[in-house]
Amino acid sequence: IEQSKMAKDTALNQLISNANDSLDISSKNLQYLPNQIAEIETLRILKASYNKFTTIEMNWIKLLMLTTLDLSHNQLTKVPVG
């Protein structure tokens, strides 16, 4: 099971590192948004639906190009303002 988690983490890291202006991490069974996403300064579209987020805590300051954020179908109870 641990090896499966490591493979999943590696695949997710690869997705993030290959992202340019769009990233789709929907249906990945994630409980949090990986902090590496905040480093993709050219990101315009982030699709993160159908995960298990209850809160969103991430440094959004560098994501000045972000125009579309899809967090639908999560269990959000708290979303940052701003």
Side-chain angles (χ1 to χ4, degrees):
I1 296 174
E2 187 63 32
Q3 194 171 21
S4 174
K5 183 185 180 319
M6 287 179 11
K8 180 181 165 186
D9 290 348
T10 300
L12 180 60
N13 287 335
Q14 198 167 15
L15 260 179
I16 293 168
S17 65
N18 291 336
N20 188 13
D21 67 341
S22 179
L23 177 62
D24 188 348
I25 55 170
S26 298
S27 302
K28 300 289 185 211
N29 207 28
L30 301 174
Q31 295 180 354
Y32 62 91
L33 276 174
N35 289 328
Q36 305 96 298
I37 293 173
E39 301 299 319
I40 310 171
E41 295 180 19
T42 57
L43 193 63
R44 291 185 313 107
I45 301 168
L46 175 56
K47 297 178 182 177
S49 61
Y50 293 96
N51 282 293
K52 295 183 177 182
F53 306 137
T54 56
T55 63
I56 301 298
E57 295 179 13
M58 192 172 86
N59 184 358
W60 298 87
I61 193 96
K62 293 182 181 178
L63 298 179
L64 300 176
M65 305 287 287
L66 191 66
T67 58
T68 304
L69 175 62
D70 183 358
L71 297 171
S72 62
H73 303 282
N74 283 286
Q75 293 90 38
L76 292 173
T77 58
K78 178 182 172 187
V79 178
V81 176

